[in-house]
Amino acid sequence: MRDRASGALRAAAYYFPGMLPADRVADLGLVARVGPAGNGYELILETERFAHAVAIDIEGWSPDDNYLHLEPGEKRRIALRSTAGGDLPRGFVSALNGHGDVPLVVAEAAS
């Protein structure tokens, strides 16, 4: 479901006939960028291949969504809320069907 006004994703459902995706892929093409948004930061996720159960791990920050599925070509924006100060968000994301962690790329605001 998408918000009519903003186009933001509000809910999604996935059906996996048979078993859940268990094969691990060396490179999903998963990219995680953090940038300023309003008075805080947002995480922008994109992937070239289906990313199953993407986990977000950013110490001192709480994402508005976590353990989500991401479809190829989809861009997902997730608000981040500080839980321990206001340091720049740094961390990584990983997908259950991917190999290893993907570090966040931090983009500063244009001056």
Side-chain angles (χ1 to χ4, degrees):
M1 289 188 340
R2 293 201 178 269
D3 183 284
R4 285 185 184 174
S6 68
L9 183 67
R10 296 292 180 205
Y14 294 84
Y15 174 69
F16 301 100
M19 296 174 40
L20 291 173
D23 295 336
R24 294 178 66 128
V25 178
D27 184 13
L28 295 172
L30 183 60
V31 176
R33 296 187 321 270
V34 170
N39 293 330
Y41 290 94
E42 73 178 352
L43 173 64
I44 302 167
L45 296 173
E46 296 180 89
T47 188
E48 293 174 6
R49 299 182 72 173
F50 180 74
H52 177 65
V54 176
I56 301 167
D57 187 3
I58 307 173
E59 189 173 336
W61 294 84
S62 178
D64 277 357
D65 198 358
N66 207 348
Y67 305 102
L68 54 112
H69 303 311
L70 194 62
E71 297 174 24
E74 177 184 4
K75 181 184 287 190
R76 184 83 59 94
R77 295 177 180 275
I78 300 167
L80 300 174
R81 290 175 279 115
S82 177
T83 59
D87 293 343
L88 191 62
R90 297 192 188 282
F92 61 88
V93 300
S94 59
L96 197 57
N97 64 327
H99 282 285
D101 299 331
V102 175
L104 302 181
V105 175
V106 179
E108 292 291 338
S111 14

